[in-house]
Amino acid sequence: MKNLIPYFTLGYPNNSRLCRFLDILPVEKINYIEFGFPSNDPRYDGPVIRNTHIVGNSNFSDSVYSRYFDYFYRNHIKMYSLSYYSDIKDRFHEFIAYLQKNRFSGIIIPDLIIDYFSEFRRVIEDLNKRGFEYIPFFSPATPDSIIKDVASLTDSWIYYGLQPSTGIEIPYELDYTTERINALLPGREITYGFGIKTDEDIKNLMKNGGSGVAIGTYLVKMIDSGDEKGFVDYINRMRGVLDA
Amino acid sequence: MITSLNRDIMPENWYNVVPDLPEPLAPPRDSKQDISSINLLNKILPKEVLKQEFTFRRYEKIPDEVMEQYEQIGRPTPLIRAKNLEKYLGYRGKIFYKYEGATATGSHKINTAIPQAYYAMKEGVNGVTTETGAGQWGSATALAASLYGLPAQIFMVRISFEQKPLRKTVMNLYNGNVVPSPSTLTEYGRKILKEHPDTPGTLGIGISEAVEYALDHDYRYMVASVMNVSLTHQSVIGQETKKQLEMLGEHADVLIGCVGGGSNFGGFTFPFIPDGDETEIIATTADEVPKFSKGDYKYDLVDSAGVLPQLRMYSLGADFVPPTIYAGGLRYHGASPSLSLLINKGRIKSDEVTESEVKDALRTFANTQGIIAAPESGHAIATAINYVKAHRNESKTIVVNVSGHGMLDLSIFGEKQ
Ligand SMILES: Cc1ncc(COP(=O)(O)O)c(C=O)c1O
């Protein structure tokens, strides 16, 4: 089964609306889930997700979500945290311990190798020691040697952002992009994210060896409008497209 | 030159350094909270240009139509051993210069103007628009647009417009329409004129006007420099240089170029980056625009109005109004992110030279080699001369990029001529 990874910023648009959408999420159709912990500076996100961080920041309440973390864990859905290092670096161990307590499998840190390049090795080795997955985050702008270096420190799946930030629609060469990452990391699970919307894109990514997709910005729109049916239908349909 | 020989020297692909950088390039960042200036690029740049900017293909095939026009405007450009200059300086090593002044418009700018205008034409837009400092980029844009039958609207930094009236004549000859910037053609220009009626103008203001004009008229904006794609297109300079050195059995020990936004410099030096750290690479800026020594390495605005995404680069601040030096092309407040990263990591060194050093260097170069170089290129020549003086006892092979000729910048020499 290919990875279908819905993304949610915790606390957005408010706790009760998000809980409602988590309640109706067809768990049998997904295998991973990504939770954004609201950031003070979501610098590599586009305007839609950026806004979810601002709103989420004022709403997020730990106690609301622990029950959901438990629920997804019991349903064998692997949970990953999306956290900016700029937000967690001063309480890193505490935060990782919190995620582990809540049975998260790993963490995606979009700013680590960009803004904290000199620290990435230490951080990844530290996570390895704790038995917590570090999910490398790459983009077309990541140099080849860095992709190889970072990927060699872990054996987890790779998160590959196709666009310069979330929810952006800049034309790019899908075939070339997938070819390049496949050639650099043969046999590695590559899950694509950022700006993925059309069935066509998903089909092509899977055809070129992709192991799954993460969907974020597109879900926000349905959550905003309270379109519960559209949301459930979309997840069901994406499962079909992925496994076609 | 014989065509087949040209094609032996000219590369078939552009080279993009990003996959070979020592650290990841920080992505562009939206300038405003609620809208995506990155997404807005879809309406500002030709699609293919945008695709190249964000795909980061190490080797990008140069379309046949572009190769043909490259030959028409004088590519490959010559690589000349500056024997007279060597002798004058009493240097035991060798000095070569790559002469981009030999192109039809007199500078390297045409190397990226041609593909950008070509992609805009293929897209069927109404026209192209851009800013220009010294007028070299405006001339290249006007010619490239004209070659593909597109109208060109050019915003020329006011101080240069006044200092270099012949540049306007050149752009008009190439069918370009030129106004001094800030202008009354855009809302942003009108605002600046109201607040600072005597402003000499800046490239940042010019960019803002051109981008606004592009959005309002379904034109496409032509990127002179700073954005990675322009450096990629300029890689024809460095790739030709490598090939020419190889044909001569030479190896570059030192590469020197001048930096405005970084396009001629990146184009000239980046193709040498994958070869390792042996070649010393030096970027020269104007003493009056000390971006690498006094600027901060941070996210900053590319244009003063903040319509374009912010880039992480060395910057003196987007509202920095540099002194009105003659090298208009070096007055820009920032520098390309890839170049900034390589400077920050110490792979590329920087140097600053004063206007009087530049004038002396230009005189020396004219007297020895007969070439009247552009004031911008004069900065690179000055650094090369200083390098030779400081390393008298070495015998290295120094290659300088002379990014343009200065036949329209003679007023720099004032009365003394
Ligand atoms: C002849 C010449 N050299 C250099 C420059 C600086 O620009 P860049 O750093 O993009 O090459 C200019 C810009 O106008 C120029 O006209």
Side-chain angles (χ1 to χ4, degrees):
Chain A
M1 181 155 93
K2 300 279 191 187
N3 300 333
L4 176 56
I5 315 181
Y7 166 85
F8 303 92
T9 305
L10 294 171
Y12 181 85
N14 52 54
N15 293 320
S16 61
R17 168 84 63 98
L18 178 57
C19 290
R20 174 71 192 141
F21 276 83
L22 294 178
D23 283 334
I24 62 171
L25 182 67
V27 280
E28 69 286 0
K29 296 293 161 70
I30 64 167
N31 41 351
Y32 295 177
I33 192 166
E34 183 188 352
F35 287 118
F37 282 77
S39 169
N40 294 317
D41 181 17
R43 47 173 54 200
Y44 302 130
D45 276 298
V48 172
I49 303 278
R50 244 183 352 247
N51 183 51
T52 66
H53 281 274
I54 295 171
V55 175
N57 232 333
S58 54
N59 294 338
F60 175 66
S61 153
D62 199 19
S63 58
V64 177
Y65 296 103
S66 50
R67 159 169 95 76
Y68 283 93
F69 298 154
D70 186 51
Y71 162 74
F72 287 116
Y73 176 73
R74 277 190 288 104
N75 278 281
H76 309 291
I77 291 170
K78 287 179 129 191
M79 288 176 287
Y80 292 90
S81 149
L82 179 287
S83 303
Y84 280 83
Y85 197 61
S86 58
D87 293 309
I88 59 173
K89 65 180 194 312
D90 295 335
R91 51 183 174 96
F92 189 69
H93 290 153
E94 196 188 322
F95 184 67
I96 299 301
Y98 163 83
L99 293 176
Q100 288 191 298
K101 190 184 92 204
N102 282 289
R103 322 278 195 132
F104 274 68
S105 296
I107 185 166
I108 300 153
I109 315 177
D111 57 341
L112 182 64
I113 62 168
I114 298 172
D115 297 320
Y116 302 92
F117 187 79
S118 61
E119 292 174 47
F120 83 79
R121 199 171 294 275
R122 189 180 53 73
V123 170
I124 299 173
E125 281 166 0
D126 185 5
L127 291 170
N128 285 345
K129 260 193 236 129
R130 287 162 197 274
F132 201 58
E133 282 179 63
Y134 168 81
I135 308 300
F137 173 79
F138 301 136
S139 79
T142 318
D144 290 2
S145 61
I146 312 295
I147 291 181
K148 285 189 178 160
D149 268 10
V150 173
S152 72
L153 296 173
T154 81
D155 47 21
S156 66
W157 55 281
I158 308 289
Y159 193 127
Y160 195 93
L162 292 162
Q163 295 281 348
S165 56
T166 48
I168 298 294
E169 290 172 51
I170 296 286
Y172 63 96
E173 284 181 54
L174 186 141
D175 285 341
Y176 170 74
T177 304
T178 52
E179 234 171 69
R180 178 175 156 212
I181 187 73
N182 289 341
L184 287 170
L185 303 177
R188 207 56 190 258
E189 259 188 60
I190 317 283
T191 288
Y192 294 93
F194 284 28
I196 295 178
K197 207 167 67 177
T198 67
D199 296 9
E200 200 54 31
D201 275 355
I202 297 180
K203 275 186 198 146
N204 286 328
L205 289 167
M206 295 309 107
K207 193 182 77 199
N208 294 357
S211 64
V213 293
I215 311 276
T217 302
Y218 200 65
L219 298 182
V220 173
K221 294 182 181 150
M222 289 181 270
I223 296 175
D224 277 345
S225 62
D227 182 5
E228 296 180 8
K229 182 172 179 313
F231 172 81
V232 172
D233 287 352
Y234 181 77
I235 298 287
N236 285 329
R237 198 162 60 75
M238 282 308 108
R239 170 50 64 207
V241 174
L242 275 173
D243 292 337
Chain B
M1 256 188 243
I2 306 158
T3 304
S4 61
L5 189 60
N6 289 352
R7 292 286 171 121
D8 282 349
I9 297 172
M10 291 165 72
E12 288 174 9
N13 298 297
W14 289 302
Y15 168 72
N16 188 341
V17 78
V18 172
D20 290 327
L21 289 174
E23 284 188 16
L25 200 61
R29 219 176 134 174
D30 286 333
S31 296
K32 303 199 166 90
Q33 187 58 40
D34 48 340
I35 58 157
S36 171
S37 37
I38 304 174
N39 253 349
L40 198 62
L41 291 175
N42 280 304
K43 293 196 189 129
I44 296 174
L45 302 179
K47 284 242 160 347
E48 183 58 36
V49 173
L50 200 52
K51 199 188 235 181
Q52 291 178 4
E53 177 73 21
F54 289 106
T55 300
F56 300 104
R57 200 188 256 281
R58 182 180 275 112
Y59 294 107
E60 189 81 55
K61 169 104 177 67
I62 306 175
D64 292 343
E65 295 86 339
V66 170
M67 283 295 273
E68 275 163 28
Q69 293 304 336
Y70 273 172
E71 275 193 290
Q72 293 299 308
I73 56 85
R75 297 222 76 81
T77 56
L79 177 78
I80 297 169
R81 178 155 171 204
K83 286 192 177 169
N84 297 338
L85 180 62
E86 287 170 11
K87 201 159 139 201
Y88 171 84
L89 295 171
Y91 189 47
R92 295 202 314 224
K94 295 173 189 164
I95 304 172
F96 286 88
Y97 66 99
K98 176 72 170 164
Y99 190 41
E100 289 297 298
T103 66
T105 60
S107 83
H108 67 291
K109 302 281 182 180
I110 194 73
N111 301 332
T112 185
I114 286 176
Q116 292 187 51
Y118 168 73
Y119 294 129
M121 176 275 293
K122 290 239 296 191
E123 221 173 298
V125 299
N126 290 338
V128 293
T129 178
T130 199
E131 80 292 348
T132 191
Q136 298 268 25
W137 172 240
S139 305
T141 294
L143 175 61
S146 182
L147 288 174
Y148 294 113
L150 289 172
Q153 175 60 50
I154 295 147
F155 295 86
M156 186 168 187
V157 176
R158 188 202 267 175
I159 180 73
S160 302
F161 189 86
E162 286 163 5
Q163 283 176 343
K164 301 177 180 186
L166 290 177
R167 272 288 167 198
K168 178 171 177 290
T169 312
V170 173
M171 288 183 260
N172 289 157
L173 261 175
Y174 292 145
N175 301 317
N177 190 26
V178 193
V179 290
S181 164
S183 76
T184 52
L185 287 188
T186 67
E187 208 180 303
Y188 189 71
R190 290 190 291 272
K191 179 173 158 259
I192 297 284
L193 280 175
K194 209 164 137 205
E195 288 167 6
H196 310 282
D198 298 324
T199 177
T202 64
L203 283 167
I205 297 170
I207 298 172
S208 300
E209 287 206 86
V211 168
E212 181 185 329
Y213 194 89
L215 287 167
D216 288 351
H217 294 80
D218 195 23
Y219 271 40
R220 288 300 176 272
Y221 171 68
M222 303 260 289
V223 187
S225 189
V226 186
M227 285 181 75
N228 193 56
V229 69
S230 61
L231 279 68
T232 299
H233 293 159
Q234 294 294 354
S235 67
V236 291
I237 307 173
Q239 293 187 83
E240 282 178 14
T241 304
K242 267 176 98 164
K243 185 79 190 186
Q244 288 164 317
L245 286 169
E246 190 189 301
M247 289 163 92
L248 294 166
E250 299 287 350
H251 177 81
D253 297 311
V254 188
L255 298 171
I256 300 172
C258 67
V259 176
S263 75
N264 88 83
F265 185 84
F268 173 55
T269 64
F270 287 179
F272 292 83
I273 292 284
D275 301 346
D277 289 347
E278 271 165 36
T279 307
E280 190 176 346
I281 307 183
I282 308 172
T284 310
T285 60
D287 190 49
E288 297 84 352
V289 193
K291 59 191 83 175
F292 296 131
S293 64
K294 309 252 163 49
D296 294 322
Y297 185 45
K298 62 173 185 191
Y299 273 101
D300 202 2
L301 299 174
V302 171
D303 60 317
S304 332
V307 178
L308 296 174
Q310 295 186 22
L311 299 174
R312 181 178 293 165
M313 58 182 176
Y314 276 100
S315 172
L316 291 159
D319 50 4
F320 172 76
V321 180
T324 53
I325 52 169
Y326 271 88
L330 303 191
R331 290 179 75 228
Y332 188 65
H333 64 274
S336 162
S338 48
L339 170 58
S340 293
L341 189 148
L342 287 163
I343 295 250
N344 185 256
K345 293 296 129 208
R347 172 65 188 94
I348 293 177
K349 295 179 195 149
S350 67
D351 187 31
E352 282 156 14
V353 289
T354 64
E355 194 155 38
S356 77
E357 282 177 287
V358 171
K359 278 192 204 174
D360 288 346
L362 288 171
R363 281 207 181 86
T364 303
F365 202 62
N367 280 320
T368 53
Q369 296 303 130
I371 297 286
I372 298 170
E376 290 83 0
S377 321
H379 288 70
I381 300 170
T383 292
I385 292 174
N386 290 343
Y387 188 96
V388 166
K389 288 181 179 165
H391 300 81
R392 280 221 176 278
N393 301 325
E394 295 174 359
S395 53
K396 290 188 173 160
T397 298
I398 301 170
V399 189
V400 188
N401 190 38
V402 176
S403 53
H405 73 61
M407 298 300 276
L408 293 172
D409 306 292
L410 293 174
S411 55
I412 187 172
F413 299 107
E415 303 295 282
K416 271 165 70 184
Q417 272 181 86

